[in-house]
Amino acid sequence: MNVNPYLFMPELFTFLIIALLFVQAVGSVTMREKVGVWLPIMSGIGVVVALLSVGQEGLVFKGAYRVDPLSQFFKVAIAIGYFITVLNASRQPTLEREKRSDYFLFLAMSTWGLMMLASCVELISMYLALELSSYSLYAVIALRSKSKMAAEAAVKYIMFGAVATALALYGFSYILAGMHTTYLAELVQKTWTFEAAPMAVTGMALFLAGMFYKLALFPFHFWCPDVYEGTSNETAAFVATLPKLGAVVILIRLATMFKPGYDITTLLAVLGALSMTFGNLAALVQKDVKRILGYSSVAHAGYIMIGLVAGTAEGLAAASFYALAYVAMNLTCFWVVSRVSVDGRNLQLDDLNGLHKRAPALAFALAVGAFALVGLPPMAGFMGKLFLFSASWNHGYNWLIIIAGINTAISIYYYLGMVRHAYTKDEDAEVLMPDASTFSCVGAVFLSILVLGLGLMPSNIFDFALQVGTIMP
Amino acid sequence: MQEVAYPVLTSLVFFPLLAAFGLFFLRGDNTVRIYTLVVSVIELALSFPLFAGFKLESAAFQFVERATWVSRWGIEYYLGTDGISFLMVILTIAVLPLCVLCSWTYITTRIKEFHFCLLFMTAACVGVFTSLDLVLFYVFWEAMLIPMYLLIAVWGGPEKKYASLKFFLYTLAGSALLLVAIVAFRVAGGTFAIPELMEKTFSFGFQFWAFLALALAFAIKVPMFPFHTWLPAAHVQAPTAGSVILASVLLKMGTYGFLRFNLPLTPAASEYFAPLMIAISIAGIIYGGVVALGQNDIKKVIAYSSVGHMGFVTLGIFLFNLRGLEGALFQMLNHGITTGGLFMMIGAIYERSHSREISDNLGLGKYMPAYMFFWGLFALSSFGFPGTNSFVGEILVFVGAFEQNPWVGALMVPGAMVAAAYMLRISLKLAWGRPSTWKQWSDLNKREWTYLLIPAVFVFYIGLAPGLCFKVMDASLVKLSNDVQTKSKLVSIENEKPLEMALNSLKGIVK
């Protein structure tokens, strides 16, 4: 078998990073501390590599691994996300110095798993990639120095993850029994109604549960706010964004079999509606910024469902675009959280008071990120929502769009709360001095520009995402 | 459609925005103020091509600019103006220098950010009035919330946090379904471009729900009774310039939305809902007037009077005859001039007495004659005294109402009378009340003269010679009222059971 290595350059490059980190992790303590020097540069090169490999297409490993616009789009997004999270975590205050290289090693492993997940078109390889991306996170979440909460969060994540994995595997056996194949290309040609294939539909529902766990979609979201709260800010930034991309890409691959009107599609729509409503209502009463972001990500998982149930290429493209926008705006918010919390504590809303005086660039970035999450123009979130709505209107799930519209109104309050604290409240005496160094301000401004740019000039990226929507698995 | 070589509207929208970023390179408070004033005067100068090139007899959109923005969805950067939006654009631009002048000594903290918000606000408002693409309209419509929120929340009065939050939540919640409606129009009509959607006819069931979704957003913005509760809170807490922009420009966006979207796009539903809209407009007129009568805070009086005045506007809009529409558009302009003037007067007196209570500002006639002259002028204009601008608008709405149905006209009369009552009550106390202690406040200075004289001139100009404004708006309004009359007939309402049709189509929409 001739395999062209150019097909999976991003994965290979990530593997190179893993190898280097491994060498460093088994080295002496002084050697381990130097990880912050070269890793940001390497992960930056990783983004370039991912961009260069856009346009590659091929089917390798006996048809289980597919390189196409969809996978490359998401690999770029994952590479960018990894780059930003590495920068974000490079000065983590709650991480012992000797554990640094291990920490980044696990993050890189998880990223590697997600990149492979973007290309898998066969259920078993999908499952393996998914597990690879989860295992590393089980270890990383607990890494917050001497914090009981972090240990609790890690246990929660593992327990939930184990149950979700078991469910997925169990459902997977049903699919295999019902459809006699694990290749998506063959699976999508079958009929997925409950009457025609009850066993396979049940199996698919269970298999999806594993994905929903990654995406933190209702009712598999219970771990989400607790884990974000328990783990360190920088780890939460990773867990909140990149695994979601992996889940979205799988759902997009599967989405060709969710035709509007099927039971399984309706199930997705109902879960989406419950997710946004529950996530937004629960976020209203939170005081901890990370818990707010946790519940908000539950709500946004629901929004992404709008694009998946439409059954159109535009819908899938809109879901991809929204996933990318979501990563950008969420990383912006987490960047601010990590920079303000200089001692690694969990931020309460009151800790943001008067931020605009202490660090105007961070306050501006927070405003951009929060308003983007609301869906206010001209930020990325607005365009994402507009595309989702436009792609899905009159495709059988209009009630879902109306619920999403009403949910936007609900969500204003708590997103605005963050901005309100940063801009209109006066700080207390013993307030945290945020990190207002050049590094933190430049990062904040860069991320704000990214979010605004996606909102003002979405045309090219959406056209690229549209290629994603027009391919079969 | 008339194409132009030089993008006038784009320059009007983006010049203030770009100039706003220039503020960050300036040092010194007065430098910032002078810079913003110069920018606002340049912005006025940039609008001269509009006056020069506007064709009075044409009902079509003029100064049109079109460019693709997001090709896949057919979202365009599409600007244009006609007789309905022309006056609003001019009003928006003209209010900006007045806002800078009346904040000169009023705003003493974070001056740079304040002027940034003013310029940002102006850009977004001009954008709202000139967008001919639904998505672009929505972008400007929402973008304007952020600076307005900050104006109230940062520079407002003691209850500013509550008021600004209420304003933001109310208006944004109202426009949540506006986005869904915009998407529905795109799917049903195949385009986001407003002029092209105006040519299409939608089924009654679709119009019914689209009307409601649009009307919710616009009614909150106007604000119509019973959605008006955010307005007094926001007005009372906002700084002077914030109140002026709120009253003069922001409230007009709601009524502009009715004229630009509800009537042309959902004519049959507008006709169906007209009795309801007229009823709540009259309720708003009477309610606003009666509540204003009982207020002891000068700003609250004017805020509640706004509810009443905007009731006149929405009433005129839903009369569907030319007189009513003309009156409504006139009242939009007049309310901007008069109420803007009154809010600036309140700002001026607040700077002297540091109180907005009527009882703390009694007897101004003795030692502030110039102030009282202007106050009397704007007060007379406010309740539509003949010879002032509001008289023209109000009489047109009255005539339109009596043409439509004498009962509607009759019901408006108490509202107009109450308006005279509360304005005269407050004016009497301000002019001849007996203050507890005599204070030596200086009369108006040159700066205050400047920013009060400009609206005062327009009070008389429009009041005595309204011809030019008529010429500007008439062609577009004639077309609008004809369109509504003819297009509402195109949609057949089977067996006269519109509600059943609407419910059936709801089942179709929410399947």
Side-chain angles (χ1 to χ4, degrees):
Chain A
M1 186 174 83
N2 264 337
V3 174
N4 175 4
Y6 289 109
L7 282 180
F8 21 87
M9 249 351 200
E11 292 93 316
L12 288 176
F13 190 82
T14 314
F15 185 71
L16 173 70
I17 293 180
I18 293 173
L20 291 171
L21 282 165
F22 179 75
V23 170
Q24 214 172 12
V26 295
S28 65
V29 176
T30 46
M31 184 173 165
R32 282 184 230 164
E33 288 169 5
K34 295 199 171 63
V35 69
V37 180
W38 63 270
L39 189 59
I41 299 166
M42 274 299 260
S43 50
I45 297 172
V47 176
V48 177
V49 171
L51 281 170
L52 287 176
S53 66
V54 165
Q56 297 282 1
E57 286 195 41
L59 194 63
V60 285
F61 304 138
K62 298 221 166 14
Y65 201 83
R66 188 186 176 114
V67 180
D68 55 13
L70 170 66
S71 71
Q72 300 317 79
F73 178 86
F74 277 91
K75 278 173 201 168
V76 172
I78 291 167
I80 293 172
Y82 181 64
F83 173 55
I84 296 169
T85 42
V86 163
L87 278 181
N88 193 18
S90 60
R91 306 183 176 188
Q92 205 177 158
T94 55
L95 185 63
E96 291 90 343
R97 302 170 73 179
E98 63 270 20
K99 288 185 188 160
R100 280 185 182 270
S101 48
D102 302 68
Y103 178 86
F104 286 115
L105 169 65
F106 284 128
L107 286 194
M109 292 268 274
S110 184
T111 308
W112 192 47
L114 291 169
M115 280 193 175
M116 292 202 282
L117 193 59
S119 278
C120 293
V121 288
E122 191 263 348
L123 292 178
I124 296 183
S125 25
M126 248 187 224
Y127 182 78
L128 290 176
L130 184 73
E131 287 308 297
L132 179 65
S133 66
S134 301
Y135 285 152
S136 346
L137 292 183
Y138 295 154
V140 164
I141 285 171
L143 289 180
R144 191 182 192 182
S145 59
K146 303 179 189 63
S147 159
K148 283 206 178 104
M149 270 167 73
E152 186 191 330
V155 170
K156 269 187 184 147
Y157 194 64
I158 291 173
M159 291 292 176
F160 253 103
V163 172
T165 298
L167 278 179
L169 206 52
Y170 184 58
F172 177 69
S173 63
Y174 271 45
I175 297 174
L176 196 53
M179 295 297 189
H180 311 294
T181 176
T182 58
Y183 284 93
L184 287 188
E186 291 167 29
L187 285 174
V188 293
Q189 287 162 7
K190 316 254 183 192
T191 316
W192 285 88
T193 54
F194 196 75
E195 293 77 20
M199 198 183 230
V201 170
T202 312
M204 183 49 77
L206 290 171
F207 183 75
L208 286 175
M211 298 301 149
F212 293 162
Y213 157 76
K214 274 269 170 237
L215 198 58
L217 190 83
F218 183 92
F220 302 94
H221 66 280
F222 290 101
W223 59 270
C224 177
D226 295 353
V227 167
Y228 289 8
E229 188 187 21
T231 187
S232 71
N233 300 329
E234 289 79 3
T235 314
F238 185 94
V239 177
T241 50
L242 293 186
K244 305 260 189 296
L245 286 174
V248 171
V249 77
I250 294 300
L251 287 169
I252 288 177
R253 293 237 182 248
L254 295 173
T256 17
M257 58 181 83
F258 310 141
K259 299 204 170 43
Y262 280 16
D263 300 331
I264 198 137
T265 319
T266 308
L267 174 79
L268 282 183
V270 170
L271 289 183
L274 287 170
S275 246
M276 23 180 141
T277 313
F278 179 85
N280 282 327
L281 289 177
L284 288 178
V285 295
Q286 303 301 328
K287 292 270 177 288
D288 182 303
V289 176
K290 273 194 297 178
R291 283 188 79 87
I292 290 179
L293 289 170
Y295 279 115
S296 110
S297 74
V298 175
H300 283 272
Y303 294 139
I304 288 177
M305 288 299 139
I306 299 174
L308 297 174
V309 297
T312 56
E314 285 91 357
L316 299 185
S320 313
F321 183 86
Y322 199 80
L324 183 68
Y326 168 79
V327 167
M329 43 204 188
N330 231 7
L331 280 176
T332 310
C333 290
F334 271 109
W335 180 272
V336 178
V337 169
S338 306
R339 296 287 80 76
V340 174
S341 166
V342 276
D343 55 358
R345 69 166 81 173
N346 275 1
L347 282 191
Q348 304 302 307
L349 278 174
D350 289 337
D351 292 330
L352 294 171
N353 286 355
L355 184 66
H356 72 95
K357 280 185 200 148
R358 289 174 286 142
L362 291 180
F364 175 73
L366 182 68
V368 169
F371 283 140
L373 286 163
V374 177
L376 270 189
M379 286 49 147
F382 163 70
M383 275 295 168
K385 262 187 194 149
L386 179 72
F387 294 160
L388 283 173
F389 289 5
S390 307
S392 316
W393 186 258
N394 271 1
H395 286 288
Y397 292 99
N398 289 354
W399 56 268
L400 182 61
I401 295 175
I402 293 169
I403 289 177
I406 294 166
N407 261 296
T408 304
I410 299 174
S411 70
I412 302 162
Y413 180 79
Y414 63 88
Y415 288 127
L416 184 69
M418 298 198 263
V419 182
R420 226 156 34 102
H421 279 270
Y423 272 91
T424 64
K425 301 229 174 187
D426 294 325
E427 61 233 357
D428 316 324
E430 66 288 353
V431 81
L432 276 176
M433 267 320 282
D435 167 18
S437 63
T438 315
F439 161 79
S440 105
C441 292
V442 168
V445 170
F446 169 77
L447 285 166
S448 315
I449 290 172
L450 187 70
V451 172
L452 283 167
L454 275 175
L456 287 170
M457 289 170 284
S459 203
N460 294 339
I461 296 175
F462 187 77
D463 288 345
F464 179 35
L466 205 61
Q467 296 178 352
V468 169
T470 49
I471 45 157
M472 297 299 280
Chain B
M1 294 278 180
Q2 159 211 12
E3 300 282 344
V4 279
Y6 155 67
V8 186
L9 294 175
T10 302
S11 67
L12 288 177
V13 174
F14 288 99
F15 173 69
L17 201 59
L18 293 175
F21 286 101
L23 282 168
F24 293 111
F25 303 104
L26 297 178
R27 291 279 170 275
D29 295 350
N30 270 344
T31 324
V32 170
R33 292 182 180 123
I34 292 165
Y35 171 85
T36 317
L37 190 60
V38 170
V39 166
S40 62
V41 173
I42 296 176
E43 172 83 353
L44 265 176
L46 284 174
S47 67
F48 283 144
L50 281 185
F51 291 98
F54 192 82
K55 293 197 178 62
L56 293 177
E57 64 288 349
S58 159
F61 288 103
Q62 306 180 33
F63 301 97
V64 172
E65 297 167 41
R66 252 183 129 150
T68 311
W69 182 13
V70 182
S71 53
R72 184 67 198 71
W73 296 109
I75 302 172
E76 290 166 310
Y77 175 77
Y78 189 2
L79 298 181
T81 180
D82 66 349
I84 297 172
S85 58
F86 181 83
L87 293 169
M88 293 299 113
V89 174
I90 302 304
L91 178 68
T92 308
I93 294 169
V95 159
L96 177 62
L98 305 183
C99 286
V100 178
L101 283 172
C102 73
S103 319
W104 205 274
T105 49
Y106 190 95
I107 300 294
T108 50
T109 52
R110 288 152 80 187
I111 291 155
K112 221 181 263 193
E113 289 91 340
F114 177 84
H115 289 93
F116 182 88
C117 284
L118 281 187
L119 291 170
F120 193 114
M121 199 65 213
T122 305
C125 294
V126 176
V128 166
F129 291 128
T130 56
S131 302
L132 295 185
D133 180 283
L134 283 169
V135 175
L136 192 66
F137 170 84
Y138 190 83
V139 168
F140 285 126
W141 172 270
E142 298 285 35
M144 151 243 105
L145 285 178
I146 300 170
M148 193 67 221
Y149 167 75
L150 289 173
L151 280 180
I152 302 173
V154 178
W155 294 275
E159 295 288 312
K160 59 191 179 182
K161 280 163 194 159
Y162 166 79
S164 60
L165 186 64
K166 194 169 181 177
F167 158 78
F168 200 90
L169 288 179
Y170 243 100
T171 41
L172 201 56
S175 43
L177 287 176
L178 180 63
L179 183 62
V180 178
I182 285 174
V183 168
F185 272 117
R186 158 83 172 72
V187 175
T191 173
F192 281 119
I194 296 164
E196 280 150 46
L197 285 170
M198 284 179 183
E199 307 298 317
K200 295 185 163 53
T201 310
F202 302 103
S203 71
F204 178 77
F206 178 87
Q207 285 193 26
F208 184 96
W209 297 106
F211 178 94
L212 283 180
L214 295 170
L216 178 71
F218 299 145
I220 287 177
K221 191 75 101 189
V222 169
M224 291 177 84
F225 177 85
F227 303 110
H228 64 278
T229 55
W230 63 265
L231 182 77
H235 259 320
V236 171
Q237 299 308 326
T240 306
S243 287
V244 173
I245 290 194
L246 195 60
S248 302
V249 181
L250 234 73
L251 305 190
K252 309 301 170 294
M253 287 183 186
T255 45
Y256 172 78
F258 280 124
L259 287 169
R260 176 65 80 229
F261 296 92
N262 287 57
L263 265 59
L265 300 183
T266 59
S270 302
E271 196 126 310
Y272 175 73
F273 280 108
L276 172 75
M277 301 306 268
I278 289 175
I280 59 175
S281 299
I282 291 176
I285 295 170
I286 294 172
Y287 172 90
V290 171
V291 176
L293 202 50
Q295 299 300 328
N296 287 323
D297 177 317
I298 311 179
K299 233 178 172 180
K300 272 203 173 132
V301 176
I302 310 301
Y304 278 106
S305 81
S306 284
V307 177
H309 288 306
M310 294 315 281
F312 273 104
V313 179
T314 44
L315 180 72
I317 290 173
F318 283 94
L319 292 172
F320 295 128
N321 52 29
L322 187 60
R323 295 280 164 272
L325 287 171
E326 276 175 349
L329 200 49
F330 249 107
Q331 278 306 75
M332 280 161 72
L333 185 66
N334 296 335
H335 181 261
I337 296 167
T338 305
T339 314
L342 282 169
F343 276 122
M344 289 192 283
M345 305 249 23
I346 296 169
I349 196 68
Y350 181 80
E351 282 187 62
R352 290 168 173 80
S353 69
H354 300 289
S355 161
R356 296 195 189 97
E357 292 293 314
I358 298 175
S359 52
D360 294 331
N361 296 312
L362 299 174
L364 299 180
K366 272 233 185 315
Y367 41 83
M368 294 178 71
Y371 181 90
M372 255 354 270
F373 162 74
F374 279 114
W375 177 275
L377 177 72
F378 290 126
L380 290 177
S381 160
S382 177
F383 62 81
F385 195 77
T388 60
N389 56 353
S390 299
F391 175 74
V392 182
E394 235 168 81
I395 200 80
L396 279 168
V397 178
F398 265 108
V399 171
F402 278 107
E403 274 180 18
Q404 188 75 7
N405 184 337
W407 283 108
V408 175
L411 283 170
M412 286 169 63
V413 176
M417 281 159 63
V418 173
Y422 62 72
M423 275 326 287
L424 287 175
R425 163 181 171 260
I426 190 173
S427 306
L428 281 177
K429 287 192 174 184
L430 288 186
W432 293 294
R434 295 188 66 82
S436 47
T437 54
W438 286 108
K439 308 172 194 71
Q440 281 306 312
W441 290 328
S442 56
D443 207 344
L444 301 179
N445 59 30
K446 284 198 184 79
R447 181 174 54 83
E448 287 162 335
W449 265 97
T450 313
Y451 69 66
L452 290 173
L453 204 57
I454 294 167
V457 167
F458 278 97
V459 165
F460 284 121
Y461 172 68
I462 296 175
L464 299 172
L468 188 60
C469 295
F470 273 123
K471 282 185 187 140
V472 168
M473 60 175 79
D474 256 352
S476 297
L477 288 179
V478 168
K479 178 171 175 287
L480 178 64
S481 69
N482 290 344
D483 276 0
V484 174
Q485 306 288 358
T486 52
K487 279 177 70 181
S488 60
K489 306 283 181 292
L490 289 179
V491 180
S492 59
I493 300 182
E494 292 155 22
N495 349 325
E496 303 298 314
K497 285 185 184 164
L499 259 182
E500 262 178 46
M501 283 175 72
L503 288 173
N504 285 337
S505 83
L506 183 65
K507 284 174 198 153
I509 291 172
V510 184
K511 41 178 186 291

